Amino acid sequence: MSDPVDYIARLRTEARNPDREEAFRADRRRRRRRRASVGAAAALALAGLATWLVTNTGARPADEPFAAAALEEQLWPDAWPATTNLPLRGSPARGWATGAQELPLPAPAAVGSLSRQQVAEGLSRAREFVVAANLDPEVLRGGHPARALELLDPQQPARDRLAEHLRAPGLPDGDPTEMFTRFNPAELTVAEEGVRVRGAMSFEPGGVPGQLRINADYTFVYALQRAAPASEPGPAPDTEEVARVVVRRQLVLLYAPAGSSGVTAGKLVPADYRRQLGNHDCGTVDGFVHPYFSKEAKAADRPWPVVDPYDETTDIPAGPLRCIVPSRT
């Protein structure tokens, strides 16, 4: 161990050394250079990572695969197609109802000569019709909407007209999508957990005594995948893309619990029905809804207005089918 006296003497000698400050300055310069080198390397690494992310996740052509496992799927950008893993990823419909049991009805009240119970029955029939026409699994698979038609008044021409459109769909005014949501089972199947709905009903007296007018406004979201054995590759390896369709329907249904001339008791009469279909090929009229997958949408000529399909603040315009290019699905 060094003698403390010698150690102190050496420190005093070094303090008087004229080269001491220059040695300190040189040491500081070396430290600064090392820090700068480390910082530059880190900056280059970050720049390389940013370039990789842009190259692999956003700037490639739409028909080129995205980077595998770059992000967890729930964190993928909304511009990337949804997949069968998370068919409603990024959609505001994720938390909506999945079926009839979750569709609330307004509290019934007596209207004119109709009792509270009669109004409740009319509202229940209207909800049953909405479900049978747009949520029934068999109907979504392209089946005949028998229950929906059964709920309509057979004495009114609207039922026969809708049934004829189902038998012989075609332009200009024979499109079954005017009232029913069906997909061609040879081409598409509804993805698991791929159906959502939100909407509301209201009621008021009808145009004649003993009649109830029911106003319904519902938006349906469907996630579809190619029917087996075909599949649409997703944005990353080992994923399968889904196409989403947003269908909004505004209906006016008349209900009379008691029969009268030309009216069947307990049946519904569709007095007005409007629909807006987002991400549907409106040039094809065969009784089915035809969604675009991402590559198809990019290549297709879609001469329809770009609209937010979730905007429920305005009414659907009266007239023929309103086709839109959805700003989001």
Side-chain angles (χ1 to χ4, degrees), residues 112-305:
S113 62
L114 301 181
S115 68
R116 178 180 178 278
Q117 180 61 33
Q118 288 172 322
V119 170
E121 290 173 357
L123 294 173
S124 180
R125 292 287 178 89
R127 179 172 64 181
E128 187 178 357
F129 176 80
V130 169
V131 170
N134 299 280
L135 294 175
D136 184 286
E138 289 298 322
V139 174
L140 294 179
R141 286 193 288 267
H144 187 70
R147 178 54 182 161
L149 290 172
E150 183 184 330
L151 289 164
L152 300 182
D153 191 338
Q155 298 189 64
Q156 299 298 313
R159 176 178 169 175
D160 289 340
R161 186 166 58 248
L162 290 169
E164 176 60 26
H165 295 173
L166 286 163
R167 284 192 298 269
L171 294 173
D173 58 357
D175 186 355
T177 64
E178 61 197 333
M179 188 70 81
F180 309 109
T181 305
R182 301 157 70 233
F183 302 99
N184 188 339
E187 299 175 0
L188 299 165
T189 183
V190 178
E192 185 176 358
E193 298 296 324
V195 179
R196 294 292 188 276
V197 58
R198 180 177 70 179
M201 283 187 188
S202 62
F203 61 92
E204 58 189 321
V208 297
Q211 186 183 71
L212 183 69
R213 176 188 172 102
I214 302 169
N215 306 298
D217 188 346
Y218 286 91
T219 299
F220 305 86
V221 180
Y222 307 93
L224 291 307
Q225 64 189 99
R226 300 286 192 193
S231 65
E232 187 75 16
D238 301 321
T239 62
E240 181 179 347
E241 180 181 339
V242 296
R244 293 198 295 237
V245 177
V246 183
V247 178
R248 184 183 175 199
R249 299 194 183 277
Q250 289 185 307
L251 309 174
V252 176
L253 300 170
L254 304 178
Y255 175 77
S260 60
S261 178
V263 175
T264 303
K267 297 293 185 177
L268 298 166
V269 177
D272 187 26
Y273 38 99
R274 308 179 185 185
R275 83 277 200 200
Q276 174 179 280
L277 273 65
N279 196 34
H280 163 60
D281 178 8
C282 293
T284 301
V285 180
D286 59 1
F288 302 116
V289 177
H290 292 277
Y292 290 97
F293 286 79
S294 59
K295 292 178 183 178
E296 296 169 336
K298 186 172 182 179
D301 177 21
R302 299 187 289 174
W304 308 299

Side-chain angles (χ1 to χ4, degrees), residues 37-60:
S37 297
V38 172
L44 286 172
L46 288 174
L49 176 61
T51 301
W52 181 87
L53 286 172
V54 169
T55 301
N56 289 281
T57 63
R60 289 189 173 193

